[in-house]
């Protein structure tokens, strides 16, 4: 395809360099503001072109040597090639732009709170397993927008305990002749390996995602793996026999240990099972939650709703600052974990519902002083937001993992609410993702 020359003037919300040439807009991986390059045009989608850097002509002063060799093709770490300070500036600007252009409100956006340890932070690692042309077992990450596995021995953002375990799993699969799953034929056993590490406890979980239960050679395989890695405290088999992109299936069997690990956030202890949602950056999650919960009144007299609650973490941590916390979450496994987590921490001023957040709040009887909401990337919905307005909830603490949908929802609320505070937090260093805490207060009329 065509080769063009251009200058990067902006960064898209997906972390791609934006180049304008004539009336065309090109999105380019790994090109940063101020840089000039020769670009190989790849394809066009809904009026925008996607291109790759063929030859970098002018480098940005913030460009650095990335730690990971495949970071230019894996697509997981859009920002590993620029220094950490520059990454934080991009994230602050992304939130600023969304608030200005989409929410159209005039409010100061604080500088993004950076991580002390921007590498090797992820407590959850999941990798597909397969075979290469020579029949050797490989594992790694999918090349961006594809199902081609790029073998990688060490990922720059995952917990360092994972790499040696994954390598030995590969060797043991070969030794015990345990097959890997073939996506094209639907045959073979091992599909993915998921590793969860605990930050506060010496506990580590290995999840083997397989196509059938009880594969041959299982016992010896597990025994040898545990002998090689005594840091593994539990092994779970998760069976996913469907031909789908979803990693985990519904059936699970504990092969070793207690089937879950524990970790702490802000002094509370949580049980984490193979399929639970749990925030992946154990240091920054405390920064995020503290930023959000500092916005609560100190008088401990408020009724709080924690919506989109996951395993209940935010609501449970908020409970010692509230009269009562209501918690609502759609996923039944997460909701069940939330109930257990309350018991585990002896917290009684909290109640849980497993429901759609909009449906729940619109039939909620009684007043709410504060609503904390932490929806998935697609943001909240009109039923939920309309109810906040109708119920005249005085304070909303919005925890968001997508600045653009946050800004859209703020815009929807902005006739009735003032935005008082916007604080981006970096939960995912090296990537273009950014979390934001926003505080909204009901306008006085
Ligand atoms: N607050 C939690 C989880 C945030 S992730 C934490 O900090 O860990 C968003 C959560 O919203 C997920 O657990 C997801 O299952 C849940 N969710 C998605 N759609 C929902 C809906 N319509 N109603 C309630 N919860 C929903």
């Amino acid at each position: 395809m065509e080769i063009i020359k251009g200058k990067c003037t902006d960064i898209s919300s997906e972390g791609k360099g934006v180049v304008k040439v004539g009336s065309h807009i090109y999105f380019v991986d790994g090109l940063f503001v101020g840089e000039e390059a020769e670009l190989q045009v790849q394809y066009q989608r809904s009026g925008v072109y996607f291109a790759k850097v063929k030859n970098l002509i002018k480098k940005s002063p913030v460009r650095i040597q990335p730690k990971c060799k495949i970071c230019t093709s894996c697509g997981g770490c859009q920002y590993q090639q620029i220094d950490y300070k520059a990454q934080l500036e991009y994230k602050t600007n992304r939130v600023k732009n969304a608030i200005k252009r989409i929410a159209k409100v005039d409010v100061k956006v604080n500088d993004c709170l950076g991580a002390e340890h921007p590498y090797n932070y992820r407590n959850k690692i999941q990798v597909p397993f397969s075979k290469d042309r020579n029949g050797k077992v490989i594992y790694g990450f999918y090349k961006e927008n594809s199902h081609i596995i790029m073998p990688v021995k060490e990922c720059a953002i995952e917990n360092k305990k994972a790499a040696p375990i994954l390598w030995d799993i590969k060797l043991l699969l070969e030794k015990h002749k345990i097959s890997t799953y073939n996506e094209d034929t639907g045959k073979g056993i091992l599909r993915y390996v998921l590793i969860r590490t605990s930050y506060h406890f010496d506990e580590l979980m290995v999840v083997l995602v397989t196509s059938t239960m009880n594969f041959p050679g299982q016992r010896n395989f597990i025994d040898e793996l545990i002998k090689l890695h005594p840091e593994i405290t539990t092994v779970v088999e998760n069976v996913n026999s469907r031909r789908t992109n979803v990693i985990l299936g519904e059936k699970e069997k504990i092969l070793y240990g207690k089937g879950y690990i524990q970790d702490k956030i802000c002094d509370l202890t949580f049980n984490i099972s193979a399929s639970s949602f749990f925030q992946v950056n154990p240091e920054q999650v405390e920064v995020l939650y503290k930023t959000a919960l500092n916005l609560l009144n100190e008088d401990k007299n408020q009724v709080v709703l924690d919506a989109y609650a996951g395993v209940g973490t935010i609501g449970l941590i908020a409970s010692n600052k509230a009269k009562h916390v209501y918690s609502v979450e759609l996923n039944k496994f997460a909701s069940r974990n939330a109930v257990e987590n309350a018991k585990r921490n002896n917290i009684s001023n909290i109640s849980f519902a497993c429901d759609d957040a909009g449906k729940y709040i619109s039939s909620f009887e009684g007043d709410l002083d504060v609503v904390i909401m932490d929806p998935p990337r697609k943001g909240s919905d009109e039923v939920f937001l309309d109810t906040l307005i109708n119920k005249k909830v005085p304070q909303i603490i919005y925890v968001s993992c997508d600045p653009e949908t946050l800004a859209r929802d703020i815009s929807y609320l902005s006739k009735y609410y003032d935005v008082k505070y916007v604080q981006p937090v970096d939960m995912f260093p090296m990537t273009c993702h950014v979390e934001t805490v926003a505080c909204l207060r009901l306008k006085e009329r």
Side-chain angles (χ1 to χ4, degrees), residues 277 279 289 308-310 313-314 329-331 355-357 374-376:
F277 175 88
Q279 297 278 0
Y289 286 0
Y308 308 91
T313 42
I314 297 181
E329 160 63 42
L330 190 60
N331 179 290
D355 204 346
D356 166 70
D374 183 9

Side-chain angles (χ1 to χ4, degrees), residues 22 31 35 53 64 67 78 114 120 152 161 175-176 194 251 281 349 357 380 425 434:
L31 191 69
E35 294 190 324
V53 176
I64 57 165
K67 285 200 178 189
Q78 299 83 3
N120 301 107
V152 56
K161 289 181 190 155
K175 179 176 169 193
H176 292 278
L194 199 139
K251 261 194 251 152
N281 188 330
N349 62 334
S380 189
V425 179
V434 58

Side-chain angles (χ1 to χ4, degrees), residues 89-363:
E89 279 168 18
Y90 278 170
K91 294 189 192 206
T92 307
N93 283 336
R94 179 173 167 198
V95 178
K96 272 188 185 160
N97 282 336
I99 295 291
K100 196 169 139 194
R101 291 188 197 154
I102 304 169
K104 297 195 168 65
V105 294
D106 186 22
V107 55
K108 177 172 181 259
V109 173
N110 294 327
D111 288 342
C112 187
L113 296 174
E116 201 183 322
H117 302 110
Y119 294 100
N120 301 107
Y121 58 85
R122 279 190 72 96
N123 60 11
K124 182 176 106 174
I125 297 95
Q126 49 197 29
V127 294
F129 269 75
S130 184
K131 285 218 169 101
D132 68 10
R133 277 198 223 110
N134 307 318
K136 285 264 168 214
V137 172
I138 54 166
Y139 61 91
F141 295 102
Y142 288 128
K143 192 170 176 187
E144 197 180 11
N145 301 324
S146 84
H147 269 222
I148 302 165
I149 296 178
M150 289 177 308
V152 56
K153 233 174 147 177
E154 241 166 286
C155 156
I157 59 171
E158 74 187 16
N159 185 294
K160 284 196 166 162
K161 289 181 190 155
I165 296 176
L166 290 170
W167 184 251
D168 282 329
I169 288 178
K170 164 196 152 74
L171 298 181
L172 288 174
L173 289 172
E174 288 171 348
K175 179 176 169 193
H176 292 278
K177 301 202 167 37
I178 296 166
S179 59
T180 57
Y181 183 75
N182 181 321
E183 286 190 343
D184 297 326
T185 63
K187 295 214 167 79
I189 304 284
L190 188 76
R191 299 182 73 149
Y192 298 91
V193 173
L194 199 139
I195 295 179
R196 283 181 180 272
T197 55
S198 172
Y199 185 79
H200 290 275
F201 296 87
D202 282 330
E203 297 189 1
L204 187 148
M205 174 194 284
V206 172
V207 184
L208 305 171
V209 184
T210 58
S211 58
T212 50
M213 191 66 94
N214 297 324
F215 56 89
Q218 192 175 69
R219 208 54 272 158
N220 291 340
F221 173 84
I222 304 289
D223 288 349
E224 281 187 50
L225 182 63
I226 303 296
K227 216 174 266 166
L228 287 169
H229 293 282
E231 70 275 24
I232 298 174
T233 54
T234 186
V235 180
V236 174
E237 180 180 10
N238 175 288
V239 181
N240 186 352
S241 49
R242 288 167 303 163
R243 294 177 85 163
T244 150
N245 285 342
V246 179
I247 295 180
L248 293 178
E250 306 244 310
K251 261 194 251 152
E252 259 176 40
K253 187 175 163 193
I254 300 170
L255 301 180
Y256 175 75
K258 56 189 179 184
Y260 63 89
I261 58 168
Q262 332 170 63
D263 212 344
K264 275 190 192 181
I265 308 179
C266 301
D267 293 330
L268 296 189
T269 307
F270 299 94
N271 288 355
I272 307 158
S273 33
S275 59
S276 308
F277 175 88
F278 201 72
Q279 297 278 0
V280 298
N281 188 330
E283 290 181 3
Q284 287 301 91
V285 70
E286 296 213 344
V287 176
L288 179 76
Y289 286 0
K290 282 178 183 158
T291 302
L293 298 180
N294 275 344
L295 296 163
L296 290 174
N297 273 0
E298 290 297 331
D299 65 10
K300 302 189 182 195
N301 209 18
Q302 292 186 308
V303 178
V304 177
L305 170 67
D306 175 19
Y308 308 91
V311 293
T313 42
I314 297 181
L316 287 163
I317 294 163
S319 68
N320 72 352
K321 275 183 146 190
K323 187 158 103 192
H324 195 86
V325 179
Y326 293 90
S327 167
V328 60
E329 160 63 42
L330 190 60
N331 179 290
K332 64 173 192 280
F333 297 106
S335 189
R336 228 176 271 160
N337 283 154
V339 174
E340 290 157 11
N341 287 331
K343 278 201 200 116
R344 201 179 189 305
N345 291 288
N346 293 319
I347 294 172
S348 54
N349 62 334
I350 186 163
S351 5
F352 299 95
C354 181
D355 204 346
D356 166 70
K359 221 166 115 198
Y360 176 81
I361 193 174
S362 56
S363 57

